[in-house]
Amino acid sequence: VGLFKRNLAKQPGHLSSLTVGNAEEAMEAIKGGQIGIVVTELRLPGMGGAELVDWINENHPTIPCIILSAFVTPSIEERMRDKGVFKVLKKPLDHEKLSQAVISGLNQVVQSKTQVGISVSSFLQLLTSEQRTCMVEVFNSEGKRALVYVDKGDLMDAVYGTLKGEAAVLHLLGWDLVQIRFRRPPAKRVKKNIYQGLMPLLLEAAAMDEETRAREHQAQSKEPEKAKKSAAESEAVKPRFKVINR
C-alpha cells in the first residue's frame, strides 16, 4: 500500500488515496463523496470484493472499479467484465501498472464530463430521437445529481435521491441548463422501471408544472385579502374614546 501511494503521489494531478479495512468501510467512504475510483481485493473479510462492486454499480455506477486477485482465471475475468469492472489485475502486483490503471480509470471519468446548456426535456428528446443507448449523470445548477439510463432511445430507469423510475423523470423534466456526464452503459441490461413513453411524461410534467403555478398564484392572490382582513380586525379591536368638554 505504501509503495502504491508513493507511486500515485508522483503522478500529475495531486492525487491522494484512502485506505480502508473492509467493504463496509469502503461503502461508508464512498457515501461521503470525493471518491473517484475504487481498488479492491476480490477476497475481503465479510463482504467480498464482487459484492462491493455490485453495491457500487447499484448506488454509484459512475465510479470505476479495479479488482486485485492472486487467482485470476478466465472465468473470473469474464464474471468481472459482466459486472462492468474497469480492470482486473493479478497479484503479486506491478505497482506501476496499478498506478497507470488508476490514472486511466480517472481519466475516463474526467473526459466523460460535458457541459450542456439545454434542458433535461430537450436532452432526453435528443437521445430518444437518435435511439441512443447510454447512462448519464445529470447535474442541475444547484449541484444536485441524478442518473438516467436509455436503451436504444427507450427510457429504462432514472434515479434522483429517493425517487426512482417515472417519479424521478417527472422531477428532472423541470431542470434547465444542466451538466451531463456520459457513462459507459452497464454490462448487464438495466431492468425497465419506466413504462410511459417520453411524450406522455412530458405532457404530465407540463400539467404538474401548470398546477403548481396555479396553486402559487392562488396563494399570492390571497395574501392581500388576508392583509386587508387582518387590518380590519385590528381596527375593530382598537379601544375607542370619546372626549367630553365641560
Side-chain angles (χ1 to χ4, degrees):
V1 174
L3 180 57
F4 167 67
K5 286 190 173 186
R6 287 194 293 273
N7 283 341
L8 198 63
K10 296 176 184 176
Q11 303 296 328
H14 305 288
L15 302 175
S16 61
S17 60
L18 173 68
T19 304
V20 296
N22 52 49
E24 289 76 11
E25 291 180 10
M27 290 163 62
E28 289 303 314
I30 292 168
K31 289 176 185 177
Q34 305 301 315
I35 302 297
I37 190 168
V38 170
V39 180
T40 178
E41 297 266 3
L42 187 58
R43 293 184 178 181
L44 295 171
M47 178 189 287
E51 289 76 16
L52 175 60
V53 169
D54 288 338
W55 180 86
I56 292 171
N57 286 340
E58 178 70 22
N59 297 278
H60 301 271
T62 61
I63 298 179
C65 298
I66 295 174
I67 288 284
L68 312 178
S69 178
F71 305 98
V72 178
T73 64
S75 62
I76 288 177
E77 287 187 317
E78 183 178 359
R79 187 158 62 97
M80 293 302 104
R81 280 197 302 270
D82 288 343
K83 292 179 181 292
V85 169
F86 178 70
K87 189 83 70 176
V88 179
L89 298 177
K90 187 174 182 179
K91 298 171 64 177
L93 285 175
D94 181 327
H95 290 280
E96 186 63 31
K97 284 186 177 180
L98 176 56
S99 298
Q100 290 304 317
V102 168
I103 297 298
S104 180
L106 290 172
N107 284 340
Q108 174 182 280
V109 173
V110 172
Q111 290 170 3
S112 64
K113 190 166 185 178
T114 307
Q115 297 280 345
V116 179
I118 62 175
S119 65
V120 170
S121 59
S122 297
F123 180 70
L124 291 181
Q125 288 179 74
L126 181 64
L127 292 182
T128 54
S129 66
E130 294 182 352
Q131 296 190 331
R132 294 282 297 275
T133 295
C134 59
M135 177 181 286
V136 293
E137 279 183 299
V138 185
F139 299 86
N140 68 6
S141 58
E142 298 174 354
K144 294 180 179 179
R145 168 182 173 273
L147 288 169
V148 180
Y149 180 67
V150 181
D151 183 28
K152 296 178 181 177
D154 185 20
L155 279 172
M156 298 295 289
D157 201 2
V159 179
Y160 171 65
T162 58
L163 300 178
K164 293 185 179 181
E166 293 177 3
V169 171
L170 288 171
H171 185 88
L172 298 180
L173 288 173
W175 287 10
D176 291 315
L177 301 176
V178 296
Q179 293 181 0
I180 302 295
R181 175 181 290 170
F182 284 90
R183 301 299 304 141
R184 182 178 59 183
K188 291 186 177 181
R189 182 179 173 84
V190 171
K191 182 180 177 181
K192 188 169 179 61
N193 201 24
I194 298 174
Y195 298 97
Q196 292 192 73
L198 180 58
M199 288 310 298
L201 288 169
L202 286 169
L203 292 173
E204 186 174 347
M208 290 170 60
D209 182 61
E210 186 66 27
E211 185 178 339
T212 300
R213 290 175 185 272
R215 284 199 303 267
E216 291 175 349
H217 177 73
Q218 187 177 13
Q220 289 173 1
S221 64
K222 286 182 178 180
E223 286 301 319
E225 294 180 9
K226 288 182 179 180
K228 187 183 294 184
K229 184 178 179 181
S230 177
E233 290 174 348
S234 298
E235 185 68 24
V237 299
K238 282 183 179 179
R240 301 183 182 277
F241 300 94
K242 180 183 283 188
V243 177
I244 301 176
N245 295 322
R246 293 183 179 181

